[in-house]
Amino acid sequence: MHQLLIGDLPLVNGEILPDTVVGYETFGQLDPNGGNAVLITHGLTSGIDMLEPSSATGKGSWADLLRPGRALDARHYFVVCSNVIGSSLGSSSPASRRPGINRPWGPEFPSLTISDMVNAQRALLAALGVNRLRCVVGPSFGGMQALQWALDYPEAVDAIGVIVSGLQWPPSLGTNALRTRLASDPAWAQGWYVADQAPFGTMAELRYETLVAYGMQQLLEHRWPGEREKVERALRTAAQSWARRFDANALLVLQAAGERFDVRSRLSEYRCPMLFVPSRTDQIFPPSAEVRRQLAQLPIQPIYIELDTPFGHAASGVELHQWEPALIQLLAQTAETTVST
């Protein structure tokens, strides 16, 4: 992973995030005319590892999209994936050293919005020489970022892909409940825990529950039929590994930013083509007649595909074959628009 210092970042709430660092990775080369850039935005608890080689529990779930002949073939596209600010997997976050103070930000890290994350990505892309994006596409929390990009920088985005995501934060994921759960851990220390004494137990349990809710258990049972102990062991191992590298305060910051997200009142402002892909078995962003009614308000009707899958929220990577052709169609549509203009 590379890291770039983008400087002081003005936030929506009026504060400044000083000496902001953004972690990122790139694939492919930027064309001389800058017309082949794509931004992949990651989920709430993941990061750039969504483009790393595949594993049983979800890492690298989108890596195949970059392979030769695939939708985001890195021989033809310049693909950027950045760790969102607030996340502890490479960018400025509560676990980062606070400038001018010899300790991490901890619970005093500024509150963020999805727009703040988009603004940091915009600064990163400008430093990389990218002024326009063929597409912004991401799963779940990443889909929200794509939606925000099209509102905040409509002149810089040709199309967006919203994959197993929604137009608002799901009510079932409340920050207050998460804060209460973390506070029950003796290691929480009101958020001022030290790195080697963080609330790992609670974070591991939260991650395990999340993997199950996301459909990862069904996925592993499908891969290893009849091997329940192996499935359970894989889920627990993955949960513990994540808990060791993801900061608890960062999880609160990101989830609180998600809770502030709701674009339903701004649907008439969307002007770029959109791919919208829910999963029929998703417990987090279930498709519904109401969602379809809301999408009908868009000035440009989206490409809409419901994934027929038993794998719930995890389906964005597992079922690439179901929605990748639509992404290819979306990119072809933007290419035609670019040529005509």
Side-chain angles (χ1 to χ4, degrees):
M1 183 196 309
H2 305 289
Q3 290 182 306
L4 180 70
L5 176 65
I6 62 172
D8 294 351
L9 182 70
L11 302 178
V12 170
N13 65 7
E15 296 182 55
I16 300 290
L17 183 59
D19 297 341
T20 303
V21 172
V22 178
Y24 71 98
E25 189 57 87
T26 65
F27 306 85
Q29 299 293 323
L30 184 65
D31 281 350
N33 64 3
N36 69 330
V38 174
L39 177 66
I40 293 184
T41 47
H42 64 76
L44 181 73
T45 55
S46 64
I48 298 169
D49 57 8
M50 67 184 290
L51 298 177
E52 293 177 355
S54 299
S55 74
T57 52
K59 285 186 181 180
S61 58
W62 282 31
D64 284 348
L65 288 177
L66 307 181
R67 298 184 186 281
R70 302 296 293 268
L72 300 178
D73 188 335
R75 298 174 304 173
H76 306 300
Y77 292 102
F78 180 61
V79 179
V80 181
C81 185
S82 74
N83 182 237
V84 294
I85 57 168
S87 171
S88 55
L89 299 180
S91 296
S92 293
S93 77
S96 304
R97 188 70 58 186
R98 186 171 184 173
I101 301 177
N102 191 30
R103 60 173 171 76
W105 280 93
E108 293 181 349
F109 191 82
S111 63
L112 300 176
T113 65
I114 303 295
S115 281
D116 295 321
M117 298 170 189
V118 167
N119 289 338
Q121 291 165 349
R122 175 72 162 170
L124 166 68
L125 290 167
L128 296 176
V130 176
N131 297 312
R132 188 171 189 87
L133 291 164
R134 282 286 298 280
C135 189
V136 182
V137 56
S140 191
F141 194 69
M144 295 178 174
Q145 294 166 57
L147 285 163
Q148 196 67 55
W149 258 97
L151 291 177
D152 292 353
Y153 298 104
E155 75 291 344
V157 181
D158 290 340
I160 61 172
V162 183
I163 316 299
V164 192
S165 186
L167 303 173
Q168 66 178 126
W169 186 254
S172 60
L173 299 180
T175 304
N176 286 337
L178 173 60
R179 184 176 287 106
T180 298
R181 183 83 174 269
L182 289 168
S184 69
D185 191 306
W188 175 242
Q190 297 182 314
W192 290 111
Y193 49 84
V194 294
D196 60 348
Q197 296 177 11
F200 295 121
T202 297
M203 289 288 281
E205 282 302 313
L206 285 166
R207 184 58 175 171
Y208 174 83
E209 293 164 9
T210 297
L211 290 173
V212 172
Y214 280 12
M216 195 58 64
Q217 182 174 355
Q218 291 93 322
L219 173 61
L220 296 182
E221 288 174 347
H222 175 75
R223 291 180 179 175
W224 303 323
E227 299 189 59
R228 292 185 179 180
E229 290 186 4
K230 184 176 181 179
V231 168
E232 179 70 11
R233 187 164 57 250
L235 290 171
R236 292 291 180 184
T237 299
Q240 291 165 9
S241 175
W242 176 87
R244 288 286 171 184
R245 66 192 185 98
F246 207 97
D247 180 65
N249 279 312
L251 182 60
L252 277 172
V253 166
L254 295 183
Q255 189 157 308
E259 265 195 309
R260 300 181 184 100
F261 177 86
D262 188 344
V263 298
R264 291 175 298 171
S265 65
R266 302 184 64 184
L267 296 177
S268 63
E269 298 178 41
Y270 285 97
R271 292 292 181 269
C272 67
M274 178 189 302
L275 171 62
F276 196 93
V277 183
S279 164
R280 290 178 182 171
T281 52
D282 186 10
Q283 299 178 33
I284 313 300
F285 299 100
S288 66
E290 177 62 15
V291 170
R292 292 190 291 274
R293 184 193 67 77
Q294 292 164 349
L295 292 174
Q297 301 175 35
L298 293 170
I300 299 177
Q301 286 306 292
I303 302 172
Y304 181 88
I305 298 173
E306 285 189 10
L307 300 180
D308 185 10
T309 174
F311 303 129
H313 198 65
S316 69
V318 182
E319 308 286 7
L320 285 177
H321 64 282
Q322 289 197 44
W323 62 270
E324 185 181 4
L327 178 59
I328 294 172
Q329 176 186 344
L330 185 73
L331 290 166
Q333 182 178 344
T334 63
E336 293 171 359
T337 302
T338 300
V339 170
S340 66
T341 55

mmCIF file of all heavy atoms in Angstrom, residues 255-291:
data_model
loop_
_atom_site.group_PDB
_atom_site.id
_atom_site.type_symbol
_atom_site.label_atom_id
_atom_site.label_comp_id
_atom_site.label_asym_id
_atom_site.label_seq_id
_atom_site.Cartn_x
_atom_site.Cartn_y
_atom_site.Cartn_z
ATOM 1 N N GLN A 255 -19.120 4.077 11.219
ATOM 2 C CA GLN A 255 -20.546 3.765 11.310
ATOM 3 C C GLN A 255 -21.354 5.039 11.547
ATOM 4 O O GLN A 255 -22.448 5.189 10.998
ATOM 5 C CB GLN A 255 -20.794 2.741 12.413
ATOM 6 C CG GLN A 255 -22.220 2.221 12.421
ATOM 7 C CD GLN A 255 -22.343 0.876 13.099
ATOM 8 O OE1 GLN A 255 -21.617 -0.064 12.774
ATOM 9 N NE2 GLN A 255 -23.260 0.769 14.051
ATOM 10 N N ALA A 256 -20.835 5.954 12.350
ATOM 11 C CA ALA A 256 -21.536 7.225 12.580
ATOM 12 C C ALA A 256 -21.629 8.025 11.286
ATOM 13 O O ALA A 256 -22.654 8.674 11.015
ATOM 14 C CB ALA A 256 -20.818 8.036 13.656
ATOM 15 N N ALA A 257 -20.581 7.991 10.469
ATOM 16 C CA ALA A 257 -20.629 8.668 9.168
ATOM 17 C C ALA A 257 -21.701 8.041 8.291
ATOM 18 O O ALA A 257 -22.451 8.742 7.589
ATOM 19 C CB ALA A 257 -19.266 8.591 8.486
ATOM 20 N N GLY A 258 -21.783 6.713 8.327
ATOM 21 C CA GLY A 258 -22.823 6.032 7.562
ATOM 22 C C GLY A 258 -24.215 6.420 8.013
ATOM 23 O O GLY A 258 -25.110 6.622 7.188
ATOM 24 N N GLU A 259 -24.402 6.576 9.322
ATOM 25 C CA GLU A 259 -25.720 6.940 9.844
ATOM 26 C C GLU A 259 -26.181 8.308 9.352
ATOM 27 O O GLU A 259 -27.379 8.575 9.294
ATOM 28 C CB GLU A 259 -25.685 6.941 11.373
ATOM 29 C CG GLU A 259 -26.138 5.642 11.990
ATOM 30 C CD GLU A 259 -26.428 5.782 13.466
ATOM 31 O OE1 GLU A 259 -25.567 6.303 14.197
ATOM 32 O OE2 GLU A 259 -27.523 5.355 13.897
ATOM 33 N N ARG A 260 -25.241 9.165 8.996
ATOM 34 C CA ARG A 260 -25.589 10.495 8.506
ATOM 35 C C ARG A 260 -25.929 10.486 7.013
ATOM 36 O O ARG A 260 -26.289 11.527 6.457
ATOM 37 C CB ARG A 260 -24.425 11.466 8.774
ATOM 38 C CG ARG A 260 -24.074 11.609 10.246
ATOM 39 C CD ARG A 260 -22.939 12.604 10.473
ATOM 40 N NE ARG A 260 -22.576 12.642 11.885
ATOM 41 C CZ ARG A 260 -21.530 12.016 12.419
ATOM 42 N NH1 ARG A 260 -20.710 11.325 11.632
ATOM 43 N NH2 ARG A 260 -21.292 12.075 13.720
ATOM 44 N N PHE A 261 -25.800 9.349 6.381
ATOM 45 C CA PHE A 261 -25.972 9.256 4.929
ATOM 46 C C PHE A 261 -27.428 8.964 4.571
ATOM 47 O O PHE A 261 -28.017 8.004 5.058
ATOM 48 C CB PHE A 261 -25.077 8.152 4.367
ATOM 49 C CG PHE A 261 -25.229 7.930 2.890
ATOM 50 C CD1 PHE A 261 -24.506 8.689 1.991
ATOM 51 C CD2 PHE A 261 -26.098 6.962 2.408
ATOM 52 C CE1 PHE A 261 -24.633 8.490 0.628
ATOM 53 C CE2 PHE A 261 -26.234 6.751 1.051
ATOM 54 C CZ PHE A 261 -25.508 7.521 0.160
ATOM 55 N N ASP A 262 -27.996 9.784 3.698
ATOM 56 C CA ASP A 262 -29.354 9.575 3.187
ATOM 57 C C ASP A 262 -29.533 10.476 1.963
ATOM 58 O O ASP A 262 -29.583 11.697 2.088
ATOM 59 C CB ASP A 262 -30.391 9.911 4.255
ATOM 60 C CG ASP A 262 -31.823 9.534 3.842
ATOM 61 O OD1 ASP A 262 -32.052 9.294 2.643
ATOM 62 O OD2 ASP A 262 -32.695 9.491 4.729
ATOM 63 N N VAL A 263 -29.593 9.888 0.784
ATOM 64 C CA VAL A 263 -29.702 10.688 -0.451
ATOM 65 C C VAL A 263 -31.106 10.655 -1.046
ATOM 66 O O VAL A 263 -31.318 11.130 -2.160
ATOM 67 C CB VAL A 263 -28.676 10.206 -1.502
ATOM 68 C CG1 VAL A 263 -27.252 10.375 -0.987
ATOM 69 C CG2 VAL A 263 -28.937 8.754 -1.919
ATOM 70 N N ARG A 264 -32.075 10.136 -0.315
ATOM 71 C CA ARG A 264 -33.414 9.978 -0.883
ATOM 72 C C ARG A 264 -34.040 11.307 -1.290
ATOM 73 O O ARG A 264 -34.811 11.358 -2.252
ATOM 74 C CB ARG A 264 -34.322 9.261 0.124
ATOM 75 C CG ARG A 264 -33.958 7.799 0.341
ATOM 76 C CD ARG A 264 -34.802 7.178 1.427
ATOM 77 N NE ARG A 264 -34.570 7.855 2.710
ATOM 78 C CZ ARG A 264 -35.297 7.632 3.796
ATOM 79 N NH1 ARG A 264 -36.308 6.772 3.761
ATOM 80 N NH2 ARG A 264 -35.010 8.270 4.920
ATOM 81 N N SER A 265 -33.707 12.389 -0.605
ATOM 82 C CA SER A 265 -34.284 13.691 -0.937
ATOM 83 C C SER A 265 -33.569 14.372 -2.099
ATOM 84 O O SER A 265 -33.996 15.440 -2.551
ATOM 85 C CB SER A 265 -34.249 14.611 0.287
ATOM 86 O OG SER A 265 -32.909 14.899 0.655
ATOM 87 N N ARG A 266 -32.504 13.751 -2.610
ATOM 88 C CA ARG A 266 -31.704 14.382 -3.656
ATOM 89 C C ARG A 266 -31.658 13.552 -4.943
ATOM 90 O O ARG A 266 -30.806 13.767 -5.804
ATOM 91 C CB ARG A 266 -30.277 14.623 -3.142
ATOM 92 C CG ARG A 266 -30.209 15.485 -1.882
ATOM 93 C CD ARG A 266 -28.776 15.775 -1.491
ATOM 94 N NE ARG A 266 -28.086 16.566 -2.505
ATOM 95 C CZ ARG A 266 -26.790 16.885 -2.434
ATOM 96 N NH1 ARG A 266 -26.056 16.466 -1.416
ATOM 97 N NH2 ARG A 266 -26.227 17.600 -3.401
ATOM 98 N N LEU A 267 -32.588 12.631 -5.086
ATOM 99 C CA LEU A 267 -32.560 11.736 -6.233
ATOM 100 C C LEU A 267 -32.676 12.485 -7.554
ATOM 101 O O LEU A 267 -32.106 12.067 -8.562
ATOM 102 C CB LEU A 267 -33.681 10.698 -6.112
ATOM 103 C CG LEU A 267 -33.564 9.739 -4.916
ATOM 104 C CD1 LEU A 267 -34.767 8.815 -4.857
ATOM 105 C CD2 LEU A 267 -32.279 8.927 -5.010
ATOM 106 N N SER A 268 -33.374 13.600 -7.554
ATOM 107 C CA SER A 268 -33.555 14.363 -8.799
ATOM 108 C C SER A 268 -32.268 15.017 -9.275
ATOM 109 O O SER A 268 -32.181 15.486 -10.408
ATOM 110 C CB SER A 268 -34.630 15.437 -8.614
ATOM 111 O OG SER A 268 -34.228 16.378 -7.628
ATOM 112 N N GLU A 269 -31.240 15.025 -8.427
ATOM 113 C CA GLU A 269 -29.976 15.673 -8.787
ATOM 114 C C GLU A 269 -29.033 14.757 -9.559
ATOM 115 O O GLU A 269 -28.033 15.222 -10.111
ATOM 116 C CB GLU A 269 -29.266 16.175 -7.521
ATOM 117 C CG GLU A 269 -30.051 17.223 -6.741
ATOM 118 C CD GLU A 269 -29.328 17.643 -5.473
ATOM 119 O OE1 GLU A 269 -28.086 17.800 -5.545
ATOM 120 O OE2 GLU A 269 -29.978 17.785 -4.427
ATOM 121 N N TYR A 270 -29.322 13.458 -9.582
ATOM 122 C CA TYR A 270 -28.418 12.535 -10.265
ATOM 123 C C TYR A 270 -28.542 12.700 -11.770
ATOM 124 O O TYR A 270 -29.641 12.716 -12.321
ATOM 125 C CB TYR A 270 -28.712 11.094 -9.858
ATOM 126 C CG TYR A 270 -28.203 10.771 -8.471
ATOM 127 C CD1 TYR A 270 -29.051 10.828 -7.363
ATOM 128 C CD2 TYR A 270 -26.875 10.434 -8.258
ATOM 129 C CE1 TYR A 270 -28.587 10.552 -6.084
ATOM 130 C CE2 TYR A 270 -26.397 10.152 -6.985
ATOM 131 C CZ TYR A 270 -27.255 10.218 -5.913
ATOM 132 O OH TYR A 270 -26.782 9.955 -4.645
ATOM 133 N N ARG A 271 -27.385 12.809 -12.419
ATOM 134 C CA ARG A 271 -27.361 13.024 -13.861
ATOM 135 C C ARG A 271 -26.559 11.972 -14.618
ATOM 136 O O ARG A 271 -26.640 11.896 -15.836
ATOM 137 C CB ARG A 271 -26.768 14.408 -14.176
ATOM 138 C CG ARG A 271 -27.650 15.566 -13.743
ATOM 139 C CD ARG A 271 -28.923 15.628 -14.577
ATOM 140 N NE ARG A 271 -29.791 16.750 -14.219
ATOM 141 C CZ ARG A 271 -30.760 16.689 -13.311
ATOM 142 N NH1 ARG A 271 -30.966 15.549 -12.648
ATOM 143 N NH2 ARG A 271 -31.507 17.733 -13.056
ATOM 144 N N CYS A 272 -25.779 11.164 -13.913
ATOM 145 C CA CYS A 272 -24.941 10.188 -14.610
ATOM 146 C C CYS A 272 -25.610 8.814 -14.611
ATOM 147 O O CYS A 272 -26.435 8.506 -13.748
ATOM 148 C CB CYS A 272 -23.567 10.108 -13.965
ATOM 149 S SG CYS A 272 -23.554 9.418 -12.297
ATOM 150 N N PRO A 273 -25.260 7.970 -15.584
ATOM 151 C CA PRO A 273 -25.770 6.595 -15.588
ATOM 152 C C PRO A 273 -25.371 5.860 -14.302
ATOM 153 O O PRO A 273 -24.314 6.111 -13.738
ATOM 154 C CB PRO A 273 -25.081 5.983 -16.810
ATOM 155 C CG PRO A 273 -24.777 7.134 -17.699
ATOM 156 C CD PRO A 273 -24.442 8.268 -16.771
ATOM 157 N N MET A 274 -26.245 4.960 -13.890
ATOM 158 C CA MET A 274 -26.043 4.247 -12.628
ATOM 159 C C MET A 274 -26.352 2.773 -12.799
ATOM 160 O O MET A 274 -27.301 2.405 -13.486
ATOM 161 C CB MET A 274 -26.958 4.832 -11.542
ATOM 162 C CG MET A 274 -26.882 4.145 -10.180
ATOM 163 S SD MET A 274 -28.167 4.691 -8.992
ATOM 164 C CE MET A 274 -27.880 6.452 -8.906
ATOM 165 N N LEU A 275 -25.536 1.949 -12.153
ATOM 166 C CA LEU A 275 -25.815 0.525 -12.016
ATOM 167 C C LEU A 275 -26.188 0.283 -10.563
ATOM 168 O O LEU A 275 -25.421 0.624 -9.662
ATOM 169 C CB LEU A 275 -24.578 -0.298 -12.403
ATOM 170 C CG LEU A 275 -24.622 -1.807 -12.106
ATOM 171 C CD1 LEU A 275 -25.738 -2.484 -12.882
ATOM 172 C CD2 LEU A 275 -23.266 -2.451 -12.416
ATOM 173 N N PHE A 276 -27.354 -0.288 -10.330
ATOM 174 C CA PHE A 276 -27.840 -0.522 -8.964
ATOM 175 C C PHE A 276 -28.123 -2.012 -8.823
ATOM 176 O O PHE A 276 -28.987 -2.561 -9.509
ATOM 177 C CB PHE A 276 -29.094 0.300 -8.691
ATOM 178 C CG PHE A 276 -29.446 0.420 -7.234
ATOM 179 C CD1 PHE A 276 -28.989 1.493 -6.477
ATOM 180 C CD2 PHE A 276 -30.231 -0.543 -6.612
ATOM 181 C CE1 PHE A 276 -29.305 1.613 -5.126
ATOM 182 C CE2 PHE A 276 -30.548 -0.432 -5.264
ATOM 183 C CZ PHE A 276 -30.087 0.646 -4.517
ATOM 184 N N VAL A 277 -27.385 -2.670 -7.911
ATOM 185 C CA VAL A 277 -27.432 -4.130 -7.811
ATOM 186 C C VAL A 277 -27.685 -4.571 -6.373
ATOM 187 O O VAL A 277 -26.741 -4.660 -5.576
ATOM 188 C CB VAL A 277 -26.118 -4.758 -8.317
ATOM 189 C CG1 VAL A 277 -26.205 -6.283 -8.266
ATOM 190 C CG2 VAL A 277 -25.798 -4.293 -9.731
ATOM 191 N N PRO A 278 -28.928 -4.848 -5.995
ATOM 192 C CA PRO A 278 -29.182 -5.419 -4.669
ATOM 193 C C PRO A 278 -29.123 -6.946 -4.707
ATOM 194 O O PRO A 278 -29.143 -7.553 -5.783
ATOM 195 C CB PRO A 278 -30.611 -4.947 -4.367
ATOM 196 C CG PRO A 278 -31.253 -4.870 -5.721
ATOM 197 C CD PRO A 278 -30.164 -4.495 -6.697
ATOM 198 N N SER A 279 -29.012 -7.537 -3.529
ATOM 199 C CA SER A 279 -29.044 -8.989 -3.389
ATOM 200 C C SER A 279 -30.369 -9.382 -2.757
ATOM 201 O O SER A 279 -30.762 -8.831 -1.727
ATOM 202 C CB SER A 279 -27.881 -9.447 -2.503
ATOM 203 O OG SER A 279 -28.075 -10.776 -2.054
ATOM 204 N N ARG A 280 -31.047 -10.340 -3.352
ATOM 205 C CA ARG A 280 -32.395 -10.709 -2.883
ATOM 206 C C ARG A 280 -32.400 -11.252 -1.461
ATOM 207 O O ARG A 280 -33.423 -11.172 -0.774
ATOM 208 C CB ARG A 280 -33.000 -11.741 -3.841
ATOM 209 C CG ARG A 280 -33.353 -11.162 -5.203
ATOM 210 C CD ARG A 280 -33.894 -12.210 -6.151
ATOM 211 N NE ARG A 280 -34.182 -11.615 -7.456
ATOM 212 C CZ ARG A 280 -34.505 -12.307 -8.541
ATOM 213 N NH1 ARG A 280 -34.571 -13.638 -8.469
ATOM 214 N NH2 ARG A 280 -34.741 -11.695 -9.686
ATOM 215 N N THR A 281 -31.289 -11.797 -1.002
ATOM 216 C CA THR A 281 -31.238 -12.368 0.341
ATOM 217 C C THR A 281 -30.461 -11.502 1.324
ATOM 218 O O THR A 281 -30.142 -11.947 2.426
ATOM 219 C CB THR A 281 -30.595 -13.770 0.288
ATOM 220 O OG1 THR A 281 -29.341 -13.689 -0.404
ATOM 221 C CG2 THR A 281 -31.502 -14.760 -0.432
ATOM 222 N N ASP A 282 -30.167 -10.275 0.934
ATOM 223 C CA ASP A 282 -29.396 -9.379 1.801
ATOM 224 C C ASP A 282 -30.237 -8.927 2.991
ATOM 225 O O ASP A 282 -31.339 -8.395 2.825
ATOM 226 C CB ASP A 282 -28.944 -8.164 0.982
ATOM 227 C CG ASP A 282 -28.018 -7.238 1.748
ATOM 228 O OD1 ASP A 282 -27.574 -7.624 2.853
ATOM 229 O OD2 ASP A 282 -27.737 -6.138 1.248
ATOM 230 N N GLN A 283 -29.711 -9.120 4.203
ATOM 231 C CA GLN A 283 -30.397 -8.662 5.411
ATOM 232 C C GLN A 283 -30.106 -7.199 5.724
ATOM 233 O O GLN A 283 -30.808 -6.583 6.526
ATOM 234 C CB GLN A 283 -29.960 -9.509 6.611
ATOM 235 C CG GLN A 283 -30.267 -10.985 6.501
ATOM 236 C CD GLN A 283 -29.763 -11.758 7.704
ATOM 237 O OE1 GLN A 283 -29.732 -11.258 8.834
ATOM 238 N NE2 GLN A 283 -29.353 -12.998 7.495
ATOM 239 N N ILE A 284 -29.062 -6.632 5.109
ATOM 240 C CA ILE A 284 -28.641 -5.275 5.427
ATOM 241 C C ILE A 284 -29.356 -4.260 4.530
ATOM 242 O O ILE A 284 -29.923 -3.275 5.021
ATOM 243 C CB ILE A 284 -27.111 -5.127 5.266
ATOM 244 C CG1 ILE A 284 -26.382 -6.289 5.959
ATOM 245 C CG2 ILE A 284 -26.652 -3.778 5.814
ATOM 246 C CD1 ILE A 284 -26.646 -6.407 7.427
ATOM 247 N N PHE A 285 -29.326 -4.484 3.229
ATOM 248 C CA PHE A 285 -29.988 -3.607 2.259
ATOM 249 C C PHE A 285 -30.937 -4.441 1.400
ATOM 250 O O PHE A 285 -30.698 -4.634 0.205
ATOM 251 C CB PHE A 285 -28.972 -2.904 1.358
ATOM 252 C CG PHE A 285 -28.007 -2.011 2.077
ATOM 253 C CD1 PHE A 285 -26.723 -2.441 2.366
ATOM 254 C CD2 PHE A 285 -28.375 -0.727 2.453
ATOM 255 C CE1 PHE A 285 -25.818 -1.616 3.019
ATOM 256 C CE2 PHE A 285 -27.485 0.110 3.105
ATOM 257 C CZ PHE A 285 -26.206 -0.340 3.390
ATOM 258 N N PRO A 286 -32.011 -4.945 1.970
ATOM 259 C CA PRO A 286 -32.900 -5.813 1.194
ATOM 260 C C PRO A 286 -33.609 -5.032 0.087
ATOM 261 O O PRO A 286 -34.024 -3.885 0.289
ATOM 262 C CB PRO A 286 -33.898 -6.314 2.244
ATOM 263 C CG PRO A 286 -33.891 -5.251 3.311
ATOM 264 C CD PRO A 286 -32.483 -4.745 3.351
ATOM 265 N N PRO A 287 -33.722 -5.615 -1.092
ATOM 266 C CA PRO A 287 -34.472 -4.944 -2.159
ATOM 267 C C PRO A 287 -35.953 -4.900 -1.798
ATOM 268 O O PRO A 287 -36.460 -5.761 -1.074
ATOM 269 C CB PRO A 287 -34.222 -5.837 -3.376
ATOM 270 C CG PRO A 287 -33.925 -7.183 -2.800
ATOM 271 C CD PRO A 287 -33.221 -6.931 -1.496
ATOM 272 N N SER A 288 -36.635 -3.887 -2.270
ATOM 273 C CA SER A 288 -38.053 -3.734 -1.936
ATOM 274 C C SER A 288 -38.742 -2.898 -2.997
ATOM 275 O O SER A 288 -38.091 -2.207 -3.805
ATOM 276 C CB SER A 288 -38.213 -3.049 -0.569
ATOM 277 O OG SER A 288 -37.737 -1.708 -0.629
ATOM 278 N N ALA A 289 -40.056 -2.919 -2.970
ATOM 279 C CA ALA A 289 -40.834 -2.095 -3.893
ATOM 280 C C ALA A 289 -40.562 -0.615 -3.631
ATOM 281 O O ALA A 289 -40.563 0.198 -4.560
ATOM 282 C CB ALA A 289 -42.320 -2.406 -3.728
ATOM 283 N N GLU A 290 -40.303 -0.260 -2.374
ATOM 284 C CA GLU A 290 -40.029 1.130 -2.034
ATOM 285 C C GLU A 290 -38.712 1.596 -2.660
ATOM 286 O O GLU A 290 -38.622 2.706 -3.189
ATOM 287 C CB GLU A 290 -39.969 1.294 -0.512
ATOM 288 C CG GLU A 290 -39.617 2.698 -0.028
ATOM 289 C CD GLU A 290 -40.629 3.757 -0.424
ATOM 290 O OE1 GLU A 290 -41.754 3.394 -0.840
ATOM 291 O OE2 GLU A 290 -40.311 4.955 -0.328
ATOM 292 N N VAL A 291 -37.708 0.752 -2.611
ATOM 293 C CA VAL A 291 -36.429 1.103 -3.234
ATOM 294 C C VAL A 291 -36.612 1.280 -4.737
ATOM 295 O O VAL A 291 -36.094 2.240 -5.333
ATOM 296 C CB VAL A 291 -35.365 0.030 -2.939
ATOM 297 C CG1 VAL A 291 -34.107 0.264 -3.777
ATOM 298 C CG2 VAL A 291 -35.011 0.029 -1.458
#
